Amino acid sequence: MTAEAMSTKLVGQAIKRREDPRLITGQGTFLDDIKLPGMTHACVLRSPYAHAKIKSIDTSKAKAHPGVVAVFTGEDMLDLNPLPCAWQAGRVKNNVNTPRVLAVGEVHFAGDPVALVIAEDRYIARDACDLIEVEYEPLPVVVDAKKATEPGAPQLHENAPNNIVMEWEAGDKAKADAAIAAAEVVVREQIINQRLLPTPMETRGAIARYEPATDEFTLWTTSQAPHVLRLLLTAFVFGIPETKLRVISPDIGGGFGQKIFCYNDAAFTMWAARKIGRPVKFVEDRSENYKYSTHGRDHITDVELAGNRDGTITGLRVTTYANLGAYLSTIAPGIPTTLYGRIITGAYRIPAAYVKVYGVYTNTAMVDAYRGAGRPEASYLIERMVDRFAAEIGMDPAEVRRKNFIPPDAFPYDNGLGLLPYDSGNYEAALNKALEIVGYADFRKEQAEARKQGRYLGLGISSYVEICGVAPSKWIGLPGEGWGAGLWESANVRVHLTGKVVVTTGSLPHGQGVETTFAQIVADELGVPYDDVVIEHSDTLGTPFGYGTYGSRSLAVGGTAVYRSVAKIKEKAKKIAAHMLEANPDDMVYENGRVYVKGSPDRAKTLGEIALQASVAYDLPEGMEPFLDETSYYDPPNCTFPFGTHIAIVEVDPDTGIVDLKRYVAVDDCGNVINPMIVDGQIHGGIAQGIAQALYERAVYDENGQLVTGTLMDYAVPAAHMLPPYETARTVTPSPVNPMGVKGAGEAGTIASAQAVMNAVIDALAPFGVKHMQMPATPENVWKAIRAAQSAS
Amino acid sequence: MIPAPFQYFAPKTVNEAIGLLQQHGDDAKLLAGGHSLLPALKLRLAQPAVLIDISRVAELKSITSEGDRLVIGAGATYREIATNEAVRSGCLVLAECVGQIGDIQVRNRGTIGGSLAHADPAADLPAVVLALGATINVMGPNGARSIAADDMFVAMMTTAISPGEVMTSVTFPILGKGEGAAYAKLRQPASRYAIVGVAAYVKLDGGTVAACRIGVTGAGAVAVRQPAAEAALVGTSGDDAAVAAAANAAGDGIDYLGDIHASAEYRQAMVKVYTRRALTEALRRARA
């Protein structure tokens, strides 16, 4: 290929997102924009109690309210099965309790749905909810995961003694015990990874329409995984043929994991639409999103890290209580196990490691995957403890990291925790680059000077590694990691008669820019204009089955399926061109959208000519089917393992405890980059969510199980002015797992950032003797940490 | 997030509003910018049968200087006050205080009268009103009357305004030479209300502090003055030691609140810190 041709490649260029003109001018179609003829509106009556028996429900007044179409309770929907849990913790017994579409007999958290009103408009539906009379018998409540496992704790479910969902472990306990017993230094902490509310800009919801003539449903819903949702609703909840349901995800205003799952609203809108013979719409308000839709994190962890005074880490022992809420959400048990426990040693070669995880039921909303899903918890834990260890032995935290990193020549690297081997990495290069950008040596001088003046600067390092591109089906599937299906992706590529290329994919965007990046790949690989490539997605009618968009997997898995379909198109095009040029197919070269015989580039057939020939089919090779139309189902041979180093610099005001986040440097390695602007955008958004956890956000339940942070007046999602500018850079270590060498970038920012900030805060507070403090580092928490350390010393 | 049904009136004059209040009594609630009332309605924490929307009453909107006083219409929005030249030059602390409330959408809607009448324990304005010794002017069935700032805030979300009255304006002093005022605040990051907000006013006579008023909001159930701290500063030179002593004397007489955003203990400590900061800046301005 000529140098000139190289420079016209789209892959690697910061092409503006083709989604954006539509989305930023208000022309998107989100769920609540959809209005169907005859559509009714649903409102859910939710339990005010976190745990109670339902003694009686009287819906008569609500039914009589003008404009009310119907009122239903859980007893009316007993023909529906409980929602499924599709990912149980692998290789252990799971005591499974999943929610019914509406509660029957007992409620287990404040927000549990009790009754459903269908009315002519939303206002009437809401008013009628107030007319439903429910008699409850309150039961004792537990909201803390560790306390829930203690003797005498209130019990949520009969089949889960001590509220335990599962006990799961990874690593070698005997080795870890021995390493800790023999170590020169052991640092111990209880580390809390607080509960978070994902807070997508658009809340969740569903609109269902039923066609009695064909017995078919259409469901529009805010789903990151419409094909999976269709499968779960039909095969598990309704017990109807999969073909009787079409699921469409319209434009989605952010998901962050919360929109992966099978929720009750998808089921009750369908059920009610069939019952009343009219479409039913349900859109959560923000309070409902906070009360009912899944939350993230919520771990209580006791951790011990052992090492030598020379800085070598020799052992790690971890016990985690993962709060999974009142019932199991769709993939909840897999998050604190496969995606947390198996990567607990992070970027380090730790010879003896063991992790035990208790999944626990409590009287709180369900907890499931939230941006990063398990890896932020793991990364926070190990990075906080590495700093804690460095401080204990008086060694530079960058040096301790260098000393323990998995070296570049050790890949593929098996961490001994049951994960597939890390694919590729050069952790020290990313650390060094970040230190260079931040000016590490100069900062330490500045910090020392500032301390003399009574100013408290701190620098925090986070060298993370994570798991993307999930996952090989034979590894993650039921017999192994407990995932109740496969995790491949699909893509169909068609070159139409006019030369236009239509790609349908099982991946779908809710902010990722898949329409743009996939088109960049196809345009480059096929050698056709970018504008000639259309990416279709998000509708189970017309797209091949796919498992959906989450886990930073769309590019590494879905994108690779596209790449492989394009490769098949090129092979077929070569055969047709060979026939047209009366040449041997093996001698054909495909280059920049033209096919020619090796050595004779002047006599070429363009893809357009070939597509026309394939479509009209007047003269095709003997036995060849018409049309350029290829599908791939790509099951990756491994996950990918992005990594990098983030560094935060803070200044703490000791009088108030206010943390001023002064600088934030992010060096990420997500392998080869298709669109650097989109990667930067993903990194920026991810960092914001990690900083939010470090400094601002926390979901708080009181002891009665009431969500105290139930509105945006109390749950502090940061605004732009509460976040610093980000200095981003990259190293590039291509993944050997897939042909494009890509890894994934959607969650890295979140996985990397919280501990960078917390390590910086704790570094700033070192002169006061602070060794650890819990997130978020609110002014009061910092102020108290200073005073607690001072009074202890 | 859908309010219960209510009847809605939009009077064009203060007298009309007073008439509607008389007619509907306890069933009615005045609606100004709506930034406190509407969230309460949407969460159904408040379910008044009648809303009287006074945002279209033109006579409540004016901002004028009258001699050494600024008269701010109760219906003036934060944004209108914050950007008003007469306010900025005559009473900068007021412009600064309202200029940092909430976010720009809140400032475009929220009104000074709405905030003061609602008397949220964490609202910013009560501190400034107390420190500047402002006067709240109200109109009712029996005519007009004025309420001194010190008498205004009675208890949590309770003011000296009677149920049938409408706030018409708030009178602030125009600060002259030797006078200075400042507002210092620790923000609750979600709501941006004050966890602790301290407004300080000082008047210098020669090199001596002749007068000092301090208003504290956010810390307790109701915004209050800080007489001990004020007394500690008056008669001093206002140097750092005097400010520190005054700040140290602050914090008494407050029924401290504790919630998920800040404990009572922390609020108490922050009253001292922010009193020091507000006094320091007020003195700097007074000397300028």
Side-chain angles (χ1 to χ4, degrees), chain A residues 122-123 126-127 130 285 287 653 655-656 658 698 709 712-716 719 722 779-780 783-784, chain B residues 1-2 5 43-44 186 188-193 260-263 265-266 269-270 273-274 276-277:
Chain A
R122 233 184 134 167
Y123 299 86
R126 175 65 185 84
D127 288 343
D130 283 358
D285 61 34
S287 299
D653 173 355
D655 291 342
T656 59
I658 290 173
R698 58 179 154 177
T709 52
L712 285 162
M713 290 291 275
D714 288 303
Y715 189 78
M722 293 155 78
E780 177 167 13
W783 183 84
K784 282 188 165 158
Chain B
M1 301 297 262
I2 291 175
L43 294 168
R44 300 202 173 198
L186 177 65
Q188 197 260 67
S191 69
R192 302 175 198 180
Y193 274 86
I260 55 162
H261 302 293
S263 66
E265 177 200 8
Y266 180 67
M270 289 307 107
V273 171
Y274 283 87
R276 191 181 72 225
R277 291 181 181 186

Side-chain angles (χ1 to χ4, degrees), chain A residues 490-566:
Chain A
S490 63
N492 172 266
V493 176
R494 300 189 302 275
V495 186
H496 284 212
L497 181 142
T498 56
K500 305 291 180 193
V501 183
V502 178
V503 178
T504 55
T505 165
S507 302
L508 63 156
H510 44 278
Q512 292 84 352
V514 157
E515 289 180 19
T516 304
T517 48
F518 283 15
Q520 285 178 261
I521 294 166
V522 172
D524 266 10
E525 290 299 319
L526 276 184
V528 298
Y530 172 74
D531 289 336
D532 283 356
V533 183
V534 175
I535 311 295
E536 296 180 347
H537 53 77
S538 300
D539 186 343
T540 58
L541 180 69
T543 60
F545 188 96
Y547 285 97
T549 289
Y550 41 84
S552 307
R553 64 191 298 275
S554 285
L555 180 59
V557 189
T560 302
V562 171
Y563 180 93
R564 285 160 63 111
S565 293
V566 168

Side-chain angles (χ1 to χ4, degrees), chain B residues 33-239:
Chain B
H35 272 59
S36 299
L37 184 54
L38 289 184
L41 292 176
K42 287 185 171 188
L43 294 168
R44 300 202 173 198
L45 296 172
Q47 302 196 10
V50 176
L51 282 187
I52 303 168
D53 180 355
I54 52 172
S55 66
R56 295 176 207 184
V57 178
E59 61 195 287
L60 294 177
K61 291 270 175 194
S62 70
I63 300 175
T64 56
S65 321
E66 296 171 8
D68 60 353
R69 309 266 114 182
L70 279 169
V71 181
I72 315 278
T77 64
Y78 303 140
R79 169 110 179 128
E80 286 160 355
I81 299 167
T83 55
N84 183 283
E85 265 317 307
V87 177
R88 295 196 71 81
S89 61
C91 195
L92 182 62
V93 66
L94 174 62
E96 288 175 339
C97 172
V98 296
Q100 56 79 56
I101 292 174
D103 53 27
I104 196 151
Q105 290 87 346
V106 169
R107 296 194 287 276
N108 280 333
R109 292 286 307 175
T111 66
I112 184 170
S115 172
L116 293 173
H118 186 59
D120 189 294
D124 298 292
L125 271 165
V128 172
V129 163
L130 285 169
L132 294 178
T135 307
I136 290 86
N137 307 304
V138 302
M139 182 83 82
N142 303 321
R145 68 181 181 112
S146 293
I147 302 168
D150 288 347
D151 301 328
M152 175 69 179
F153 307 104
V154 176
M156 186 181 280
M157 293 176 164
T158 308
T159 69
I161 303 174
S162 301
E165 291 178 325
V166 176
M167 192 194 307
T168 52
S169 64
V170 187
T171 307
F172 287 90
I174 290 175
L175 302 190
K177 201 163 166 45
E179 292 179 292
Y183 180 60
K185 170 191 183 182
L186 177 65
R187 279 177 176 235
Q188 197 260 67
S191 69
R192 302 175 198 180
Y193 274 86
I195 287 176
V196 166
V198 180
Y201 161 86
V202 293
K203 182 173 186 178
L204 293 174
D205 186 359
T208 308
V209 177
C212 172
R213 278 193 301 270
I214 298 167
V216 173
T217 191
V222 61
V224 292
R225 289 271 299 273
Q226 290 294 298
E230 295 167 6
L233 196 72
V234 171
T236 72
S237 66
D239 62 5

